[in-house]
Amino acid sequence: MTISRSVSAALGLRVHAKPLTRAFPSRPVDGFVGAIGNTPLIRLEKLSRQTGCNIIAKSELQNPGGSVKDRAALGVIQNAEAQGLLKPGGTVVEGTAGNTGIGLAHVCRARGYHCVIFMPNTQSQEKIDLLRMLGAEVFPVPAVAYEDPKNYNHQARDYAETLHNAIWTDQFDNTANAEAHYHSTGPEIWEQTQGDVDAFVCATGTGGTLAGVGRALKEKSDGRTQIWLADPPGSVLHSYVTSGGKLKERSGGSITEGIGQGRITNNLGTFVKQLDGALHIPDEKSIAMLYDLLDTEGLYLGASSALNVVAAVELAQKLGPGKTIATILCDGAYRYQSRLFSKAWLRAKGLEDAIPEHLEKYAVLD
C-alpha cells in the first residue's frame, strides 16, 4: 500500500516520480558478503498521514545477517584485509553488545576466519545463543564503564594482542565503520529518495551509521539535509549535542541494547560537530511505538528501531508538514522477544503501562 498522489497532495507531501521500491541486483551476488546492503526504504503509512510528512525507514533488518551492523562488520574486515593486518585463517576479535558480533560471525564464516566475541552479560540470551550457533567463541563479561579496564571492549583488545594473525576490529573507534555507511547506506538513501530527503535521524552506539550516513547526505545535498541524533536514557550524547559540546550529563538507564554512549567515539567524532540537533527519547515512547508499528505496519522490530521511528515523528513535527524524514530500522524483534513481549519483564522495568491498552494483546509472554 502506498499513499496516492491525490492523498499526498492533500497532505502537502512531495510526490516522488516513481515508487520507493527495492531494486534487486540484475545478476546473482557473491555469497553472504554480496548480499549486504541494497535494503528497502519503507514509507510508514500511518505516521506519514498523522504528521503530514513522508516518514521513511531504511529496513536494515533485511540485511542477510539481520541488522544494520552487517555493513560495519564487512567494512572493518575488508579494511583489515586491505591493510594486510588479517590473513587467511586468522582470528577476528570484537567487544560488542550483539549485532556487530552477529555480523562479524557471519562474515567470518563466509571468509574463513575464527570469530571471538566479548560482550556485556546484560545482553539478551537470543543474541548469545545465535553467536554460538554461528561458530563464534563468546565471552559474556560483567557490564562495567568504559573507563574500567575490565570493560568488554578492553578485554577484547587485550585478548587479540595475545594471538597470532588476529585483529581487534575496534568497532567504536575504527572509522572504517563510518566509512562503510558513507559509501553504502547514505548513497542508497539518497538514490532511493531521488535526492528528496529533508532530514535523517537515528540513535547511535558506535556512531558509525549516524556519522557515515550523515556525511554522505550532507555532501550530496550541499548541506540542505538536516542530520539529528536520537538518544535513549542513560546516554550523554543528547546533553553533549544540545549544549554545544559543553555537558556530558548521564542519568538513568535504558532497555535499548547497543545504543547510547558515555563518550564521543572516533566514529561519531568524525561528524558530531555537523549535527543539526538531538532528541531525547524515553523508553516509554519506544515501547509504545514498538507495539504500534507491529499493529499498524506489520513490522516486528527491536527497541532501537522503535526509538528511531519515535525520533523521526518528533523531528517531522519540529520541521513541519511536507518534509521527508528518513531513519533506520536497525533490526527485528526476534533477538529480544523474550523481553519485549514479556509482561513480567516489562513490569519489572516499570514499562508495562507503556503499552497502549488496545495493543496489550501482543504481550503474549508471561
Side-chain angles (χ1 to χ4, degrees):
M1 175 181 175
T2 58
I3 298 177
S4 69
R5 288 180 176 271
S6 59
V7 172
S8 296
L11 291 174
L13 304 182
R14 293 192 293 272
V15 181
H16 296 279
K18 57 184 178 180
L20 298 175
T21 57
R22 188 176 189 184
F24 286 101
S26 58
R27 60 186 65 185
V29 298
D30 188 10
F32 177 91
V33 166
I36 295 174
N38 192 40
T39 55
L41 195 59
I42 300 174
R43 180 185 287 111
L44 302 178
E45 301 291 352
K46 174 188 171 184
L47 298 175
S48 294
R49 290 194 301 270
Q50 288 179 342
T51 61
C53 290
N54 279 315
I55 306 294
I56 54 178
K58 191 82 163 125
S59 187
E60 291 297 284
L61 66 156
Q62 290 179 252
N63 278 306
S67 86
V68 65
K69 295 297 187 178
D70 286 2
R71 297 184 191 252
L74 178 59
V76 295
I77 286 179
Q78 287 182 326
N79 182 61
E81 290 172 339
Q83 295 184 67
L85 301 176
L86 185 62
K87 297 177 174 60
T91 300
V92 172
V93 185
E94 182 56 279
T96 168
N99 278 332
T100 300
I102 292 166
L104 286 170
H106 274 291
V107 176
C108 283
R109 290 274 56 77
R111 287 276 220 256
Y113 301 124
H114 181 53
C115 185
V116 178
I117 301 297
F118 286 78
M119 68 189 306
N121 58 10
T122 55
Q123 300 305 298
S124 65
Q125 190 62 42
E126 289 96 333
K127 283 184 180 179
I128 297 171
D129 291 342
L130 177 55
L131 283 166
R132 288 174 172 158
M133 290 173 194
L134 290 170
E137 190 174 0
V138 183
F139 294 98
V141 299
V144 296
Y146 182 80
E147 294 74 20
D148 191 313
K150 294 296 184 181
N151 178 274
Y152 64 101
N153 291 291
H154 305 326
Q155 291 200 51
R157 175 199 62 204
D158 296 344
Y159 183 77
E161 290 175 354
T162 69
L163 303 176
H164 172 70
N165 187 21
I167 61 164
W168 169 48
T169 45
D170 190 14
Q171 61 163 328
F172 290 90
D173 293 316
N174 181 351
T175 56
N177 176 348
E179 285 295 310
H181 292 285
Y182 172 74
H183 290 291
S184 66
T185 322
E188 286 175 28
I189 292 172
W190 183 258
E191 180 179 351
Q192 287 170 306
T193 60
Q194 299 172 60
D196 184 10
V197 55
D198 296 287
F200 173 81
V201 60
C202 76
T204 183
T206 66
T209 304
L210 182 64
V213 172
R215 178 179 155 210
L217 293 180
K218 281 288 188 185
E219 288 182 2
K220 290 180 177 297
S221 68
D222 292 326
R224 180 181 65 82
T225 302
Q226 294 190 27
I227 311 296
W228 286 62
L229 165 77
D231 215 27
S235 174
V236 304
L237 300 180
H238 175 263
S239 64
Y240 181 87
V241 173
T242 56
S243 69
K246 297 176 183 178
L247 298 176
K248 288 189 178 181
E249 295 179 350
R250 187 170 202 164
S251 63
S254 174
I255 63 161
T256 55
E257 298 183 19
I259 58 173
Q261 190 54 263
R263 66 188 179 94
I264 306 300
T265 65
N266 284 355
N267 278 290
L268 183 57
T270 65
F271 189 75
V272 68
K273 292 183 180 179
Q274 297 180 63
L275 287 171
D276 292 284
L279 299 167
H280 175 78
I281 309 298
D283 283 349
E284 290 82 359
K285 289 186 177 182
S286 297
I287 289 294
M289 182 62 76
L290 185 149
Y291 278 78
D292 186 71
L293 288 167
L294 176 59
D295 187 64
T296 62
E297 301 282 353
L299 293 170
Y300 189 59
L301 303 171
S304 57
S305 298
L307 182 150
N308 283 346
V309 175
V310 173
V313 170
E314 293 192 1
L315 186 53
Q317 292 166 343
K318 281 181 175 290
L319 299 183
K323 300 295 192 293
T324 295
I325 315 296
T327 191
I328 296 285
L329 302 182
C330 313
D331 63 8
Y334 304 98
R335 293 166 186 172
Y336 321 93
Q337 60 190 16
S338 65
R339 299 181 177 192
L340 296 176
F341 294 90
S342 164
K343 288 173 280 190
W345 188 84
L346 290 169
R347 188 181 308 118
K349 297 295 181 180
L351 292 169
E352 187 177 24
D353 292 341
I355 307 173
E357 186 174 352
H358 69 289
L359 302 179
E360 291 176 357
K361 62 186 177 182
Y362 295 115
V364 297
L365 303 178
D366 291 328

